[in-house]
Amino acid sequence: MVRPYTYPTTCKKRLFSVSPRKLLTSERRGICAPSRIWPLMLSQNTTIPHHCDDQPFEFSKVDPKLLSDMVKDKRLDSLTQLGGVRELATLLETDVQRGIGGNQADIDRRKRVLGVNVFQKPPSRGFLSFVLEAFKDATIIILLVCAVLSLGFGIKQHGWKDGWYDGGSIVLAVILVIVVSSVSNFKQSRQFQKLSAKSNNIGVEVVRGGRRQSVSIFEVVVGDIVHLKIGDQVPADGLFLEGHSLKVDESSMTGESDHVHVNGDRNPFLLSGTKVTDGFAHMMVTSVGVNTAWGEMMGSITRELDEETPLQARLNKLTSAIGEVGLLVAALVLVVSMIRYFTGSTRDEMGNREFVGRKTKFDDVMNAVVGIVAAAVTIVVVAIPEGLPLAVTLTLAYSMKKMMRDNAMVRRISACETMGSATTICTDKTGTLTLNEMKVTEVWVGKKAIAEDGYLAPSLDQLLKEGIGLNTTGSVYRPQQTSLPEISGSPTEKALLTWAVVDLGMDIDEVKRHCEIIQVETFNSEKKRSGILMREKRGSKRIHTHWKGAAEMVLAMCSNYYDHTGEIMIMDDGERVQIENIVKGMATKSLRCIAFAQKSSNGRVYFEKLEETGLTLLGILGLKDPCRPGVEAAVESCKNAGVKIKMITGDNVHTARAIASECGILGPNEELDEAAVVEGFQFRNYSPEERMDKIDRIRVMARSSPFDKLLMVQCLKQKGHVVAVTGDGTNDAPALKEADIGLSMGIQGTEVAKESSDIVILDDNFSSVVTVLRWGRCVYTNIQKFIQFQLTVNVAALVINFVAAVSSGKVPLTAVQLLWVNLIMDTLGALALATEQPTNDLMKMPPVGRVEPLITRVMWRNLISQALYQVLVLLILQFKGRSIFDVSEKVKNTLIFNAFVLCQVFNEFNARKLEKKNIFEGLGKNKLFIVIVGLTVALQLVMVEFLKKFANTERLTWEQWGVCVGIAALSWPIGLLVKCIPVVPNK
């Protein structure tokens, strides 16, 4: 029977002296959990079993809200009442060593009862918000007002049947422009949201069923045991189980910049969204998703994805400048047209004066005035190239989507365009230039190389097992004794553990059972080593200090060394030089050299820091990490593109030089150049003047620290370079932020590095970095193509309408026709030119750099020539078209409109290639371009032949169509001839 809980009178005193674990397992006594435990775990209205032996306790009784509050508020007293973290693990049915069971039914149950690890995001912008935003444009509002007035006067004068055409046409054209731009912006917004969701989906290492595995952050559940290391983001709220030297950055939650120590005694609380800055640990998840402090905060924050990029800012200035010119021209057209109308200088199609003073009807006057105002406003619409920002958005969205397929996830869209200007790439070695598949290929003990089946003394064998098995952040999981072990950790850790398990026969669980770790010093990128202090649990209970790290760093701490028989030998200067030469020989074979050393002592530990002197060298392992296939070709591609590659690595100078030569970073002439390869300490000790003088010659920096990388980026930027930097570690964050483009690694990169970067290279491959460079250049070039295309239309339309208005008082291109041209060039033109794919020619051009103007002299040459041709031909048609073709005024205006639109269609092909004469090269690869051109021509045919009243056109004969096509087609040979004119490049 279940009823609200009351204490049994006979056992009140006993309840508070019994631990929660005993309470939960004490079936024989019939004792239930005391009120000090249950209120934390259960909501007020929950009833609990009176007889615990009748109903076994299930975690489904846990109240997620109360558990969440305990961790968020860091209530240590509440945790103590529960009996500590391990008792809470029992409540959550978690084994602190093996984690949760991991079967799907258990995971689903935990999600259902205790929540899922996703945040409730504010609703995204709907389609209507983009429509309303488009309606707010001032020119659109003025056009709609003009359209409504024209509609009213037209219906009044000609009736409903014929009076709605002029005003209604403008309304329909405006609506079409709004709908097309709104749909385009809405789709790009959805695209950016998808990319954002993908960037938030990070991998988390959990232990389930005793097996360490990587799962999505969204799949983490309450009760999971999570492995944390430097640079990781804490995936959910939880409690510290075990670990060493753990520090977290809680600034994202508290705003405090000081790093917080987390341990099992005073502060076991870990908050979701915080970053691990030092140490490593296992934590038990207690709250997920909206039940965490981070979840509550994220529920009210939406990430702005429509950031204004530097190029968009430059284009907005250009748009404003052109808009001002357009306003001036429109104002002149308005004034001149009004003067000509009211002075009786304008005539209708029959040749009669339109304004004859008081004899003219008021409705006719208003219709004429509205028409003049609409024409002037439409000139502004055409003059303002609002398609430029749209073109940037389209090309960025398109390139981001394509880059994702090419293993590059863009986090900040401005990086797409900036990458096109990159002049220098500073790259890591391990995992970027190499495969990051480490394997132990050489083992040296003392001065002797040990073969795979070589003899090692049992004492030395045991010390190596302890040094590798305990001083590691990796793990070994063997489901069954006969099965192959699953080894987790970084590539270096996996290689060392694999060698110890396979070659030494190490049983890591046995090593851990017989040793107690007292203190840990985690790997440090400055010192390039890690160490542990341990005590034997059996026998003499001796204390051992174990160090592991870069060979020359560890070697400097040693006074003795073991030979393969287990004898300890004194390391004098001669012996040290011999061992250093062994390391140098291994490094010249591109091997990463890891040394192991230890020091033993009897009795108690009297020092807080690990011993760093007088150690005995155990052995040196050489790890081979082969270069990635295709990396040499990628480096060569960058060199051809005028982009300099600098390799920055923590490896020693000999390994670094060997890899750089293998990858092609060091050319044959540079291999012997002392200035081309430097070490980090040399670089940082240069004077500022020396650094600036030598930086361009440096190709490789070995034994570098994160500070050295940051210093190099700063120096390169001072010299005017646009710098891209790759990084994977937490300490790389400053350099990634300082660089113009930060590129983090998706596999080996820490979450801190990813958050500091602009682009995540998903496969950690240098070839993908080169792909990003290609796409960056493609984005920049596509936008230049569209600027050239659009400005040609702007110049031609402005000049034609202005000259015609001033000379005759009539504009040949009506409001509806100009809006149609606006739609072609703004949306369809942007879509056609913004989706051009990168070509190999892009990687043969020099980098743009910081100071190159957006509109180059080559673009001005192409633009002015085409605009002059269009203006010349169309003005001839304007003034001589009726007599040349013997047609009416309306047919002449239709010819001008048709020829003008077709000129833009043909000029779109010219815009595909800024400098190359063959404008059809690669056309077959861009199916979208062909579709858009075909669609434009088809719609133009419909406009002229079937929408006569809507577009104010007349049907044309086949001959007249042939003349229009011929006029437009002449833009191709003109473009070809113009490209033969040499242009002095911009300085």
Side-chain angles (χ1 to χ4, degrees), residues 554-774:
V554 174
L555 198 57
M557 301 158 65
C558 296
S559 306
N560 309 292
Y561 67 92
Y562 278 98
D563 68 6
H564 72 286
T565 63
E567 288 289 322
I568 297 178
M569 315 293 285
I570 296 171
M571 191 186 297
D572 58 24
D573 291 342
E575 305 276 346
R576 187 179 297 276
V577 169
Q578 287 183 50
I579 295 173
E580 285 174 351
N581 287 335
I582 289 168
V583 172
K584 185 177 178 181
M586 293 167 74
T588 53
K589 300 175 192 172
S590 307
L591 298 183
R592 171 175 283 186
C593 303
I594 306 292
F596 292 85
Q598 67 88 226
K599 187 174 184 178
S600 302
S601 61
N602 293 310
R604 297 176 63 184
V605 181
Y606 293 104
F607 41 86
E608 291 183 1
K609 295 192 77 174
L610 275 65
E611 286 274 7
E612 297 185 7
T613 57
L615 277 80
T616 303
L617 183 69
L618 294 174
I620 301 169
L621 274 62
L623 281 68
K624 180 68 176 175
D625 185 13
C627 280
R628 285 182 178 274
V631 76
E632 193 174 355
V635 169
E636 188 62 30
S637 176
C638 285
K639 286 184 175 181
N640 293 336
V643 178
K644 294 177 180 175
I645 308 295
K646 298 184 187 296
M647 187 177 89
I648 303 175
T649 177
D651 279 340
N652 73 43
V653 69
H654 306 295
T655 306
R657 191 188 291 272
I659 290 288
S661 299
E662 197 176 334
C663 294
I665 292 171
L666 278 178
N669 299 327
E670 294 171 320
E671 288 182 17
L672 300 174
D673 185 0
E674 290 298 320
V677 182
V678 298
E679 291 190 85
F681 77 90
Q682 289 176 274
F683 184 72
R684 79 179 82 104
N685 290 332
Y686 286 149
S687 67
E689 294 77 18
E690 280 183 299
R691 267 199 297 271
M692 296 300 283
D693 180 53
K694 295 182 178 183
I695 190 131
D696 284 331
R697 288 180 65 191
I698 294 171
R699 291 287 175 269
V700 177
M701 185 157 66
R703 282 291 175 239
S704 66
S705 68
F707 173 76
D708 299 327
K709 184 184 273 191
L710 175 62
L711 193 59
M712 177 167 273
V713 172
Q714 289 169 337
C715 291
L716 286 166
K717 287 181 73 176
Q718 281 175 31
K719 288 210 84 172
H721 290 277
V722 178
V723 188
V725 168
T726 70
D728 54 12
T730 302
N731 291 327
D732 288 327
L736 289 167
K737 284 183 177 177
E738 179 69 25
D740 296 288
I741 312 103
L743 304 160
S744 64
M745 299 297 112
I747 300 170
Q748 289 301 316
T750 63
E751 287 310 310
V752 174
K754 289 176 189 175
E755 290 212 351
S756 302
S757 67
D758 304 303
I759 297 173
V760 181
I761 305 299
L762 298 175
D763 62 351
D764 290 16
N765 193 339
F766 185 77
S767 296
S768 298
V769 175
V770 179
T771 302
V772 172
L773 180 65
R774 279 162 57 92

Side-chain angles (χ1 to χ4, degrees), residues 452-468:
E452 283 188 27
D453 56 350
Y455 172 78
L456 281 179
S459 58
L460 180 58
D461 183 84
Q462 183 60 31
L463 286 171
L464 278 169
K465 286 178 181 177
E466 290 172 3
I468 295 172

Side-chain angles (χ1 to χ4, degrees), residues 302-319:
T302 179
R303 180 182 164 196
E304 279 299 320
L305 290 159
D306 52 347
E307 57 172 301
E308 185 177 75
T309 70
L311 189 55
Q312 281 175 325
R314 288 171 73 183
L315 287 175
N316 286 338
K317 286 182 182 177
L318 180 66
T319 301

Side-chain angles (χ1 to χ4, degrees), residues 336-353:
V336 170
S337 298
M338 287 288 193
I339 291 170
R340 289 185 63 84
Y341 176 77
F342 284 110
T343 55
S345 301
T346 56
R347 297 180 180 274
D348 61 18
E349 292 177 10
M350 306 301 294
N352 302 319
R353 287 169 60 187

Side-chain angles (χ1 to χ4, degrees), residues 109-130:
R109 187 166 58 115
R110 288 172 187 273
K111 286 181 179 178
R112 188 176 63 254
V113 176
L114 300 171
V116 292
N117 201 29
V118 292
F119 309 130
Q120 289 179 344
K121 294 182 180 177
S124 55
R125 289 178 64 188
F127 176 70
L128 283 176
S129 69
F130 289 97

Side-chain angles (χ1 to χ4, degrees), residues 17 139 196 268 384 410 537 611 954 970:
S17 62
T139 51
S196 173
I384 296 173
V410 179
K537 288 183 179 178
E611 286 274 7
E954 284 289 325
L970 275 173

Side-chain angles (χ1 to χ4, degrees), residues 218-267:
F218 305 129
E219 292 299 316
V220 172
V221 295
V222 172
D224 258 329
I225 304 297
V226 177
H227 177 75
L228 297 175
K229 60 184 183 301
I230 296 176
D232 282 351
Q233 176 180 311
V234 179
D237 285 0
L239 296 167
F240 178 94
L241 271 177
E242 60 181 5
H244 295 279
S245 312
L246 188 68
K247 287 184 185 178
V248 295
D249 176 6
E250 293 187 352
S251 58
S252 59
M253 298 300 302
T254 63
E256 296 293 330
S257 58
D258 291 340
H259 295 166
V260 179
H261 286 268
V262 179
N263 51 51
D265 302 326
R266 297 178 184 175
N267 178 29

